mmCIF file of all heavy atoms in Angstrom:
data_model
loop_
_atom_site.group_PDB
_atom_site.id
_atom_site.type_symbol
_atom_site.label_atom_id
_atom_site.label_comp_id
_atom_site.label_asym_id
_atom_site.label_seq_id
_atom_site.Cartn_x
_atom_site.Cartn_y
_atom_site.Cartn_z
ATOM 1 N N GLN A 196 111.106 90.748 65.597
ATOM 2 C CA GLN A 196 111.731 90.873 66.916
ATOM 3 C C GLN A 196 110.670 91.224 67.955
ATOM 4 O O GLN A 196 109.784 92.042 67.691
ATOM 5 C CB GLN A 196 112.812 91.962 66.903
ATOM 6 C CG GLN A 196 113.931 91.707 65.910
ATOM 7 C CD GLN A 196 114.747 90.484 66.243
ATOM 8 O OE1 GLN A 196 115.167 90.287 67.377
ATOM 9 N NE2 GLN A 196 114.983 89.645 65.237
ATOM 10 N N LEU A 197 110.763 90.603 69.136
ATOM 11 C CA LEU A 197 109.846 90.936 70.221
ATOM 12 C C LEU A 197 110.157 92.334 70.741
ATOM 13 O O LEU A 197 111.272 92.601 71.200
ATOM 14 C CB LEU A 197 109.987 89.916 71.353
ATOM 15 C CG LEU A 197 109.110 90.158 72.585
ATOM 16 C CD1 LEU A 197 107.628 90.051 72.235
ATOM 17 C CD2 LEU A 197 109.470 89.152 73.690
ATOM 18 N N VAL A 198 109.169 93.240 70.652
ATOM 19 C CA VAL A 198 109.392 94.624 71.068
ATOM 20 C C VAL A 198 108.419 95.067 72.156
ATOM 21 O O VAL A 198 108.597 96.156 72.726
ATOM 22 C CB VAL A 198 109.300 95.596 69.874
ATOM 23 C CG1 VAL A 198 110.420 95.337 68.882
ATOM 24 C CG2 VAL A 198 107.937 95.514 69.189
ATOM 25 N N GLY A 199 107.398 94.279 72.461
ATOM 26 C CA GLY A 199 106.451 94.722 73.465
ATOM 27 C C GLY A 199 105.564 93.599 73.982
ATOM 28 O O GLY A 199 105.362 92.582 73.316
ATOM 29 N N VAL A 200 105.056 93.800 75.189
ATOM 30 C CA VAL A 200 104.083 92.907 75.807
ATOM 31 C C VAL A 200 102.953 93.782 76.326
ATOM 32 O O VAL A 200 103.199 94.746 77.051
ATOM 33 C CB VAL A 200 104.706 92.092 76.959
ATOM 34 C CG1 VAL A 200 103.653 91.213 77.622
ATOM 35 C CG2 VAL A 200 105.868 91.242 76.445
ATOM 36 N N ILE A 201 101.728 93.466 75.944
ATOM 37 C CA ILE A 201 100.585 94.324 76.264
ATOM 38 C C ILE A 201 99.505 93.531 77.014
ATOM 39 O O ILE A 201 99.623 92.334 77.216
ATOM 40 C CB ILE A 201 99.987 94.944 74.978
ATOM 41 C CG1 ILE A 201 99.549 93.840 74.011
ATOM 42 C CG2 ILE A 201 101.019 95.860 74.317
ATOM 43 C CD1 ILE A 201 98.833 94.350 72.765
ATOM 44 N N ASP A 202 98.470 94.252 77.417
ATOM 45 C CA ASP A 202 97.241 93.695 77.992
ATOM 46 C C ASP A 202 97.462 92.721 79.147
ATOM 47 O O ASP A 202 97.017 91.568 79.106
ATOM 48 C CB ASP A 202 96.403 93.021 76.908
ATOM 49 C CG ASP A 202 95.794 94.011 75.943
ATOM 50 O OD1 ASP A 202 95.800 95.215 76.266
ATOM 51 O OD2 ASP A 202 95.323 93.604 74.869
ATOM 52 N N PRO A 203 98.100 93.158 80.224
ATOM 53 C CA PRO A 203 98.254 92.265 81.378
ATOM 54 C C PRO A 203 96.929 92.005 82.076
ATOM 55 O O PRO A 203 96.007 92.829 82.047
ATOM 56 C CB PRO A 203 99.201 93.049 82.291
ATOM 57 C CG PRO A 203 98.966 94.483 81.941
ATOM 58 C CD PRO A 203 98.684 94.493 80.470
ATOM 59 N N THR A 204 96.840 90.855 82.681
ATOM 60 C CA THR A 204 95.762 90.518 83.612
ATOM 61 C C THR A 204 96.449 90.192 84.935
ATOM 62 O O THR A 204 96.636 89.018 85.280
ATOM 63 C CB THR A 204 94.954 89.314 83.112
ATOM 64 O OG1 THR A 204 94.491 89.566 81.787
ATOM 65 C CG2 THR A 204 93.743 89.048 84.011
ATOM 66 N N PRO A 205 96.904 91.218 85.658
ATOM 67 C CA PRO A 205 97.810 91.012 86.796
ATOM 68 C C PRO A 205 97.255 90.053 87.842
ATOM 69 O O PRO A 205 96.069 90.088 88.189
ATOM 70 C CB PRO A 205 97.979 92.421 87.361
ATOM 71 C CG PRO A 205 97.745 93.322 86.182
ATOM 72 C CD PRO A 205 96.645 92.651 85.421
ATOM 73 N N MET A 206 98.141 89.198 88.329
ATOM 74 C CA MET A 206 97.785 88.224 89.347
ATOM 75 C C MET A 206 99.050 87.806 90.073
ATOM 76 O O MET A 206 100.161 88.030 89.592
ATOM 77 C CB MET A 206 97.142 86.984 88.696
ATOM 78 C CG MET A 206 98.015 86.353 87.623
ATOM 79 S SD MET A 206 97.189 85.050 86.687
ATOM 80 C CE MET A 206 97.495 83.666 87.737
ATOM 81 N N ALA A 207 98.888 87.231 91.228
ATOM 82 C CA ALA A 207 100.015 86.638 91.937
ATOM 83 C C ALA A 207 100.135 85.187 91.520
ATOM 84 O O ALA A 207 99.138 84.517 91.254
ATOM 85 C CB ALA A 207 99.800 86.744 93.441
#
Side-chain angles (χ1 to χ4, degrees):
Q196 300 295 312
L197 178 64
V198 295
V200 178
I201 58 175
D202 290 346
T204 306
M206 55 188 274

